[in-house]
Amino acid sequence: IFSVARWTGGQNGRVISNYDLSWFHGFHANGKKSFNFYGWLTNGGGGTDVDWHVHTSTMNASDQGNTWLDGAKLTSNGTGAYNTAYQPRRIQFGGYSTTSEYSKCQVAEFLVYDRVLDEQERLRVESYLAHKWGQDARLDAAHPYKTSSPIPTDNALVIGDIATTQP
């Protein structure tokens, strides 16, 4: 899962969440380093701001989760997610259920793949999003695509059978 999102100020709850279960991606309770897939992968922190951020997460067949914020790895092979039932059921933007953990926020892009991308694919998608939304300066200095976009000259980024065209 990849997202480009931000809080816009005032209410800093969930931004990308499951409607009725404890699942959220990136933002939660004044922390932009929060990933919970029915159990904690990365438990908060990072504070609040109104900047755009690229959040990335993967979950492999061994129920091990990895999380990144702006290209910096937060969790390596974490096992806190719920055993095999960690997929969100009903995605919701801006809060949790009908009555709690609301956010004033914006989601620019949200991508879900049906498999774990390999490391090179993840780096390309992450960098593509950072460059597309003007967040490349936030990428770690060691990121292989920090200074140049991986977008081919035809403006299409192809990952497996999925092509994304830059506007």
Side-chain angles (χ1 to χ4, degrees):
I1 297 173
F2 297 85
S3 66
V4 179
R6 69 179 184 158
W7 284 310
T8 58
Q11 288 179 279
N12 301 316
R14 297 182 187 201
V15 173
I16 300 168
S17 180
N18 191 83
Y19 173 77
D20 51 3
L21 296 170
S22 186
W23 184 99
F24 43 87
H25 184 262
F27 297 94
H28 176 256
N30 294 312
K32 62 184 175 240
K33 295 179 178 179
S34 299
F35 295 81
N36 185 304
F37 294 179
Y38 309 114
W40 287 102
L41 285 176
T42 306
N43 191 353
T48 63
D49 58 41
V50 295
D51 299 329
W52 290 100
H53 293 284
V54 177
H55 287 95
T56 307
S57 62
T58 63
M59 191 64 122
N60 66 28
S62 299
D63 298 330
Q64 296 172 321
N66 296 280
T67 64
W68 293 263
L69 170 64
D70 298 323
K73 196 165 202 176
L74 302 174
T75 304
S76 293
N77 297 323
T79 58
Y82 188 76
N83 184 19
T84 68
Y86 46 78
Q87 299 92 346
R89 305 292 189 279
R90 300 189 307 172
I91 294 292
Q92 174 177 324
F93 296 139
Y96 175 53
S97 192
T98 58
T99 60
S100 64
E101 301 183 40
Y102 291 120
S103 288
K104 291 182 179 177
C105 60
Q106 295 176 318
V107 177
E109 200 148 348
F110 182 71
L111 303 172
V112 178
Y113 289 88
D114 64 357
R115 64 181 176 85
V116 175
L117 302 184
D118 68 34
E119 183 72 1
Q120 196 54 235
E121 291 171 326
R122 181 193 60 79
L123 289 166
R124 291 182 70 213
V125 173
E126 192 173 71
S127 180
Y128 163 74
L129 291 170
H131 283 275
K132 177 179 178 180
W133 295 101
Q135 300 307 306
D136 47 295
R138 291 188 173 283
L139 293 175
D140 186 78
H143 198 288
Y145 300 110
K146 180 175 177 64
T147 59
S148 62
S149 176
I151 300 169
T153 56
D154 65 357
N155 282 350
L157 174 65
V158 178
I159 301 297
D161 296 326
I162 300 167
T164 302
T165 303
Q166 183 180 10

